[in-house]
Amino acid sequence: MRITYIHQHFKTPAMAGGTRSYEFARRLVEHGHEVHVITGHPDGDRTRISTESGIVVHWLPVNYDNSMTYGRRLWSFFDFVRRAAAVAGRLRHDLVFATSTPLTVAIPGAYAALRRRVPMVLEVRDVWPETPIALGALRSPPSRWAALRLEAWAYRRAARVIALSPGMAESIQRRFPDVTVTVVPNSSDRALFAGADRAGEEVRRRTPWLGDRPLVLYAGTLGRANGVDYLVRMAARLADRDPDVRVVILGDGMMRDQIRDLAAELGVLDRNLFMLGPVPKSEVVAFFGACDLAVSAFVNIPELRNNSPNKVFDAFAAGRPVAVTHGGWIADLIAANAAGLVLPPDDPEGAAAAVAAFVRDGAAMTGAREAASALGRDRFDRDLLFQDFERVLTEARRAPRPRRTRRPHRAGRRTVRRAGR
């Protein structure tokens, strides 16, 4: 198949951020498909094209970063819609694949699919607009109305929908029962993390403040939804309970300055809590290899419990236990498999006690590592989940093609319809 793959936030392993789209697109190429990715990139003032592992990538000059305000993000989303539609409309393809966030990617996806009369598959990485409404990003009634209309419009124009968690799929099917939804969660790239232990040892050797001390790692976005201030408050309790435990926050986002200020205020910054900037995926491997416990953090609201955080599956790939600060399917998975900790929401003191006890319990750590590794191997291996992903695309390719309605040509006050030939 010739596939146009639209993802505003596409990343290669040399860049900071999740690489799900890169890894799936690369595997599509290896299976004989032709893949064109359309994405945004802030560098330069014109579109450039490169080839990454056989993927033809169209880099559009659209600025975006995690520190942007909601207003600037919306501007970026619609700038990408305009530019992506122009590029996608020129490409010849057998199928269009559009992946959120944001859900506005469905607009150029549906346009390109209709133009070539081919199917579109839509991938939903969070339930939108439920999440931005819950976080206060969409406050006015008109913005919420428009977002809900866009959601309904997008789902009804998709031949298939891929959701990243069972809860996302259930939410979509409850509200849109005619939509065919398949769950393909984020996955564990075990090949990428095969050398994590060795790389982690090197990180510990070259980092004097770490050495052989226990390490708790958060690697991800520092946004309002993530509630990373919880980890800062936990670190403050750990400083009194077990001061040798190190907490590392690796990443960037709009809340970075506030988190740093809080850490300085509580006296833990560069004492037992260390904030590092975003690093390429290839370097993230080393930090997961060095850590004893990886953390997935979100604020405690129901709309975020269906997320499928990359960091959880990276931890599984590295064979590392996971602690979650929220409920939902990931928390249930961790608890059912004894693969880490479910920390008490809104209780940093209780979290500090649980973490301090866990990282000093050799038997519990060994068992949790084995359980995490088994989850990455048996349930979330990227090669296994890619088979489900490719099957959805193949099935969608055989789905009925969308019809393109011809508009009548008007001459004066008469309507003249073009005769079929």
Side-chain angles (χ1 to χ4, degrees):
M1 283 188 291
R2 295 171 297 183
I3 301 168
T4 293
Y5 199 131
I6 305 175
H7 183 195
Q8 183 168 350
H9 310 308
F10 176 84
K11 306 292 183 183
T12 71
M15 304 164 71
T19 56
R20 173 186 174 96
S21 290
Y22 167 84
E23 294 295 345
F24 277 176
R26 177 177 67 80
R27 284 165 172 78
L28 286 170
V29 170
E30 290 174 354
H31 282 223
H33 304 288
E34 178 184 323
V35 181
H36 286 251
V37 167
I38 302 174
T39 188
H41 199 279
D43 296 339
D45 57 0
R46 67 168 112 184
T47 299
R48 64 182 179 86
I49 299 174
S50 69
T51 301
E52 312 291 338
S53 300
I55 312 159
V56 180
V57 184
H58 303 254
W59 305 93
L60 310 184
V62 177
N63 192 30
Y64 181 90
D65 66 68
N66 287 324
S67 64
M68 284 181 168
T69 64
Y70 289 133
R72 291 181 63 201
R73 291 184 191 203
L74 285 173
W75 176 263
S76 173
F77 295 161
F78 283 103
D79 187 28
F80 181 77
V81 165
R82 175 178 64 89
R83 296 176 184 273
V87 174
R90 293 195 297 266
L91 295 175
R92 302 192 71 85
H93 36 244
D94 302 306
L95 180 137
V96 176
F97 181 82
T99 180
S100 68
T101 58
L103 192 61
T104 45
V105 298
I107 300 173
Y111 167 75
L114 186 62
R115 183 174 175 81
R116 299 294 180 187
R117 299 185 63 218
V118 302
M120 176 181 74
V121 175
L122 180 64
E123 181 175 77
V124 181
R125 298 192 180 209
D126 59 32
V127 180
W128 198 96
E130 288 182 5
T131 299
I133 288 174
L135 293 172
L138 298 173
R139 297 180 181 178
S140 69
S143 67
R144 295 183 180 192
W145 176 86
L148 291 166
R149 289 294 298 271
L150 173 61
E151 179 194 34
W153 179 88
Y155 291 148
R156 287 170 180 150
R157 277 156 182 77
R160 296 287 189 278
V161 172
I162 290 176
L164 266 65
S165 76
M168 290 184 198
E170 188 277 330
S171 174
I172 295 167
Q173 290 183 314
R174 183 181 69 250
R175 293 172 296 123
F176 304 94
D178 294 335
V179 174
T180 302
V181 186
T182 303
V183 178
V184 184
N186 272 324
S187 51
S188 299
D189 195 328
R190 295 169 60 238
L192 178 63
F193 281 82
D197 288 343
R198 185 171 58 256
E201 291 171 1
E202 178 57 31
V203 167
R204 287 180 171 275
R205 275 197 299 269
R206 68 171 188 257
T207 310
W209 50 259
L210 177 56
D212 60 356
R213 299 176 180 89
L215 173 60
V216 178
L217 174 70
Y218 175 85
T221 302
L222 308 182
R224 290 183 184 176
N226 304 102
V228 179
D229 61 296
Y230 178 103
L231 301 182
V232 177
R233 300 180 197 280
M234 183 187 77
R237 275 65 171 189
L238 279 169
D240 296 328
R241 183 180 293 273
D242 192 340
D244 267 354
V245 176
R246 298 299 188 238
V247 178
V248 167
I249 296 173
L250 188 71
D252 201 359
M254 66 188 304
M255 300 299 292
R256 181 178 178 82
D257 290 343
Q258 291 91 324
I259 292 167
R260 176 176 285 276
D261 290 346
L262 178 62
E265 178 187 335
L266 296 180
V268 297
L269 185 64
D270 297 331
R271 178 185 169 199
N272 69 327
L273 182 143
F274 299 83
M275 294 187 67
L276 308 178
V279 300
K281 187 75 171 188
S282 53
E283 294 183 32
V284 169
V285 171
F287 282 92
F288 274 97
C291 83
D292 297 284
L293 183 65
V295 180
S296 171
F298 285 107
V299 295
N300 187 30
I301 60 174
E303 290 80 3
L304 293 174
R305 293 175 183 170
N306 293 324
N307 278 350
S308 185
N310 276 305
K311 59 185 74 66
V312 169
F313 304 95
D314 288 346
F316 292 164
R320 294 301 185 269
V322 176
V324 296
T325 67
H326 51 85
W329 79 287
I330 293 293
D332 294 343
L333 180 75
I334 297 300
N337 291 275
L341 298 173
V342 178
L343 301 177
D346 308 316
D347 183 9
E349 177 68 42
V355 167
F358 182 77
V359 298
R360 297 298 188 182
D361 186 335
M365 288 282 293
T366 298
R369 282 193 175 198
E370 291 174 353
S373 183
L375 286 169
R377 179 187 64 244
D378 301 334
R379 293 186 56 179
F380 299 107
D381 180 83
R382 182 160 277 161
D383 289 330
L384 290 175
L385 292 178
F386 171 76
Q387 296 175 18
D388 296 335
F389 176 83
E390 186 181 28
R391 186 183 68 252
V392 173
L393 270 57
T394 302
E395 291 173 353
R397 177 69 182 89
R398 295 195 290 262
R401 296 188 177 188
R403 294 181 179 180
R404 182 167 54 186
T405 304
R406 289 185 174 182
R407 293 183 178 179
H409 293 263
R410 295 188 179 273
R413 298 182 62 180
R414 291 189 309 148
T415 299
V416 181
R417 298 188 180 276
R418 187 178 294 173
R421 290 179 178 267

